[in-house]
Amino acid sequence: MKTIDTSVYVVDDDASVREAVESLIRSAGFSVRTFASAHEFLASPRAEVPSCLVLDVHLPGLNGLDLQRELARADIQIPIIFLTGHGDIPTSVRAIKAGALGFLTKPFADEDLLNAIRDGIARDRSARAAPNQDGMVGSSRPWRQVLTHAAKVAATEATVLLTGESGTGKEVIAQLIHATSRRAGGPFVALNCAALPEALLESELFGYEKGAFTGAVVARPGRLEQAAGGTLFLDEVGEMSPAVQAKFLRVLQEREFQRLGGTRMQKANVRVIAATNRDLRAALAAGAFREDLFYRLQVFAIRLPPLRERPEDIPALLEHFVAELGPVVLGRRAAGITREAQEQLLAYSWPGNVRELRNAVERALILSDGRPVTPEHLSMPAEAPPPVTEGPAVVPQGFPSQGFDLEAAERELVERALRQTGQNKAKAARLLGLTRTKLYTRMQRFGLS
């Protein structure tokens, strides 16, 4: 077995069961092949691996569990759904522990089997797609775990919370989950909660009716409506204001919402994936994030590791970015990276993670002018900037005799916070212990807007 097929295979020694299951699967729009025994399945002349295998436990000769072990030994990964005429709990436990997707006892409900098959196909599609997705490069254990969790949750409708530092690839993983889910045919709609002030975020999310507020001259659907049938990705969800948090909680609880200025309740037919680089538990403790919303979002949490926790992936990422960016930056294939430059890249801690690495490669390719990238084309500091630690501000014990210019000191702190965060207002506000509104007020006062 070498190539990949998209059909469902059924192995059962009972001809009537085989025919019934085959008819059911075909009625759901899937292609199907049937086999009377494990040996017949293994001896199949077609070199194909199905997307899902429906397998009877009690088969003549090689039984279902034996076949499961044979496939695992040959490193053939197929989602398996076991069927049995006996409610054998120990057998089902062994099968599930060995990696089976499901275990159904005959007679089973048609919809139960079809739902299990759909989950199996979605999981198989996710497992195949993950290594080939742009940004999915990496074979380290932490990254493989991320991809495994993404593949498992993609087959469900569960709400997902992606956590991790900026630049670790949260939106890439969100897109992967969407692309390998049942909602893949629907839209993927993203909304950055940190990029908009509260009033605008609310109208963008829920939409509004004509006359809902000054300037609302026509009705407009929000992101919830635009994402109908697909996935709504809420980036930087930790920046959502308390008022919007309360309204969005209803979407997750009741699966319904109203446009601003509207009276009609609408159904929210979306799968929600949220992401944050904040510690939401700390935000809970500080009263900045609703506890009930937190637990609604964190049905299935996936932490994306920073690049410094998976340095073994850096060589593969470098190769990927050089191949990807060479034709864009140079108009031709890039010459590559010298060993000395690669050693310097490996020695850096990458506080900006994969995004920073990609930007560094792009800049180096521009400077290299088509030649191999050397250390002189790199611009990282000798050491990564130290992490920002929270704690009380250090203030002088006394004041100078000429007095202290508090206004100038406050302006300097605001400027430093903006420089350190690359002009990211939400992050700068957090560093200063301010709300975004208060930061904007100070920026206007100091002429920094």
Side-chain angles (χ1 to χ4, degrees), residues 16-38:
S16 61
V17 172
R18 281 200 312 276
E19 291 170 5
V21 172
E22 179 182 15
S23 176
L24 175 66
I25 294 172
R26 288 194 191 281
S27 72
F30 301 118
S31 60
V32 60
R33 289 188 67 194
T34 62
F35 304 87
S37 69

Side-chain angles (χ1 to χ4, degrees), residues 44-355:
S44 171
R46 294 178 60 189
E48 298 169 344
V49 176
S51 293
C52 186
L53 178 62
V54 179
L55 181 60
D56 188 23
V57 172
H58 302 285
L59 294 169
L62 198 69
N63 67 34
L65 294 176
D66 292 334
L67 177 56
Q68 182 187 32
R69 282 191 289 270
E70 287 293 320
L71 293 172
R73 233 186 321 262
D75 197 28
I76 298 173
Q77 305 297 321
I78 309 174
I80 297 176
I81 301 160
F82 276 106
L83 304 179
T84 181
H86 313 281
D88 189 345
I89 293 177
T91 300
S92 66
V93 170
R94 285 200 304 275
I96 297 297
K97 281 186 176 181
L101 182 67
F103 198 97
L104 300 177
T105 302
K106 303 172 187 175
F108 46 81
D110 290 352
E111 199 57 34
D112 288 344
L113 178 57
L114 289 177
N115 283 337
I117 289 171
R118 292 186 188 106
D119 287 348
I121 291 173
R123 182 175 298 189
D124 179 69
R125 189 188 306 137
S126 176
R128 291 187 219 161
N132 300 316
Q133 293 282 329
D134 184 39
M136 292 294 102
V137 179
S139 58
S140 65
R141 185 171 181 178
W143 192 241
R144 288 202 313 271
Q145 186 176 46
V146 168
L147 297 180
T148 298
H149 287 170
K152 288 182 177 179
V153 77
T156 74
E157 287 284 293
T159 301
V160 181
L161 179 63
L162 304 174
T163 64
E165 298 175 8
S166 293
T168 50
K170 295 185 287 294
E171 184 164 358
V172 172
I173 292 297
Q175 290 172 336
L176 174 67
I177 292 171
H178 168 73
T180 54
S181 73
R182 301 176 200 168
R183 293 178 174 268
F188 177 89
V189 177
L191 178 61
N192 189 325
C193 301
L196 301 169
E198 179 181 325
L200 190 52
L201 175 61
E202 188 175 0
S203 64
E204 280 292 317
L205 184 57
F206 298 103
Y208 53 84
E209 298 291 354
K210 180 180 178 181
F213 49 83
T214 303
V217 294
V218 294
R220 183 182 173 188
R223 302 297 175 91
L224 277 165
E225 288 177 71
Q226 294 169 23
T231 300
L232 175 65
F233 175 59
L234 294 177
D235 199 7
E236 302 296 354
V237 72
E239 305 302 327
M240 189 180 281
S241 70
V244 180
Q245 287 179 38
K247 290 190 174 182
F248 191 69
L249 176 64
R250 180 176 180 85
V251 174
L252 295 179
Q253 287 178 329
E254 308 298 335
R255 292 289 165 181
E256 59 184 22
F257 67 96
Q258 283 181 330
R259 288 182 179 179
L260 298 186
T263 57
R264 182 172 62 89
M265 200 65 73
Q266 299 189 51
K267 290 296 180 184
N269 177 22
V270 297
R271 196 244 186 97
V272 174
I273 302 177
T276 182
N277 59 14
R278 293 186 66 182
D279 182 348
L280 289 187
R281 292 191 182 276
L284 288 180
F289 202 82
R290 293 180 64 108
E291 184 176 19
D292 45 7
L293 178 58
F294 172 74
Y295 288 114
R296 286 282 180 178
L297 290 172
Q298 191 172 288
V299 175
F300 194 94
I302 302 177
R303 175 185 176 269
L304 275 71
L307 193 52
R308 63 182 174 274
E309 290 183 9
R310 54 184 190 108
E312 60 268 44
D313 289 336
I314 291 177
L317 285 164
L318 290 173
E319 184 178 344
H320 170 74
F321 290 140
V322 167
E324 176 193 35
L325 296 170
V328 177
V329 173
L330 304 170
R332 60 185 184 278
R333 184 177 178 182
I337 301 177
T338 65
R339 180 182 300 176
E340 293 78 13
Q342 188 165 133
E343 287 174 355
Q344 191 168 322
L345 290 163
L346 286 166
Y348 185 58
S349 62
W350 300 108
N353 295 296
V354 178
R355 184 185 299 134

